[in-house]
Amino acid sequence: MIKVIRVDHRLLHGQVIFSWTKFANIERVIVIDTATANDDFKKMSLKLAKPEDVRLNVFSVDKAISKIDQIKALKDNIMLLFANVTELSKFIDAYGPVEEINYGLVPSKPDAKRFSNAIYLTPDEVMLTKKMCDQGIKISMQQVPSANKEFLNNLI
């Protein structure tokens, strides 16, 4: 019951909490980010930020991969939330193709190419994104559900 897969280095913040969870009737957010999973303060902050009626899990990418069968068996409306393209790609390689992935905010870094006001991809991230596109996955760029959806597939 995965309703939204999103890359946003900010993880749980206003746009995710108020826009995306309401738009997709999200009942569970699964944050897949190794740095966050290994940081008790970050995990506590996420628990405080989440809506009261939404369940939260925080996993490293390797732990999430080991739990793919359990994730697929969940009956909740789920949002998978990644902090970066690299861990997203690693998870998708193990999970299998999905219909669509939303790139919400991928910040500027050295050598990154700008694809939108909020999406900057390094050559490695472009390669990983292209690999997902080649699997038939639609990669959308959209800050909030009410904004126009632009597809990265046409730009890579």
Side-chain angles (χ1 to χ4, degrees), residues 76-89:
D76 300 331
N77 289 338
I78 299 167
M79 174 183 222
L80 298 181
L81 190 55
F82 295 83
N84 62 72
V85 173
T86 302
E87 290 191 333
L88 163 70
S89 177

Side-chain angles (χ1 to χ4, degrees), residues 98-118:
V98 295
E99 186 176 325
E100 185 173 333
I101 296 169
N102 170 254
Y103 280 23
L105 181 65
V106 181
S108 183
K109 300 168 278 309
D111 298 324
K113 179 181 175 185
R114 179 180 176 206
F115 287 89
S116 78
N117 289 338

Side-chain angles (χ1 to χ4, degrees), residues 5-150:
I5 301 172
R6 181 175 171 93
V7 177
D8 190 325
H9 86 282
R10 300 166 296 178
L11 298 174
L12 279 178
H13 61 90
Q15 289 174 346
V16 170
I17 293 168
F18 297 109
S19 296
W20 289 101
T21 59
K22 302 294 183 227
F23 171 76
N25 193 28
I26 298 300
E27 299 166 305
R28 180 184 302 265
V29 174
I30 301 175
V31 172
I32 301 175
D33 180 57
T34 301
T36 300
N38 293 324
D39 185 322
D40 289 337
F41 181 76
K42 284 183 181 181
K43 286 191 292 192
M44 180 189 67
S45 298
L46 291 176
K47 287 177 186 170
L48 293 172
K50 75 168 188 66
E52 188 176 318
D53 59 340
V54 174
R55 292 175 200 83
L56 174 70
N57 300 101
V58 180
F59 300 128
S60 68
V61 69
D62 291 332
K63 184 74 164 179
I65 288 169
S66 76
K67 292 184 167 285
I68 284 176
D69 289 338
Q70 289 105 314
I71 291 169
K72 287 182 176 183
L74 290 170
K75 301 293 184 221
D76 300 331
N77 289 338
I78 299 167
M79 174 183 222
L80 298 181
L81 190 55
F82 295 83
N84 62 72
V85 173
T86 302
E87 290 191 333
L88 163 70
S89 177
K90 183 176 180 179
F91 181 82
I92 293 298
D93 282 346
Y95 188 88
V98 295
E99 186 176 325
E100 185 173 333
I101 296 169
N102 170 254
Y103 280 23
L105 181 65
V106 181
S108 183
K109 300 168 278 309
D111 298 324
K113 179 181 175 185
R114 179 180 176 206
F115 287 89
S116 78
N117 289 338
I119 308 299
Y120 297 83
L121 301 177
T122 65
D124 285 343
E125 291 168 329
V126 168
M127 179 197 65
L128 294 171
T129 300
K130 182 166 179 11
K131 184 174 86 173
M132 289 184 283
C133 291
D134 290 346
Q135 294 173 5
I137 300 170
K138 293 183 269 184
I139 308 287
S140 63
M141 298 182 292
Q142 189 178 25
Q143 290 291 298
V144 293
S146 60
N148 286 336
K149 187 187 289 191
E150 204 177 336

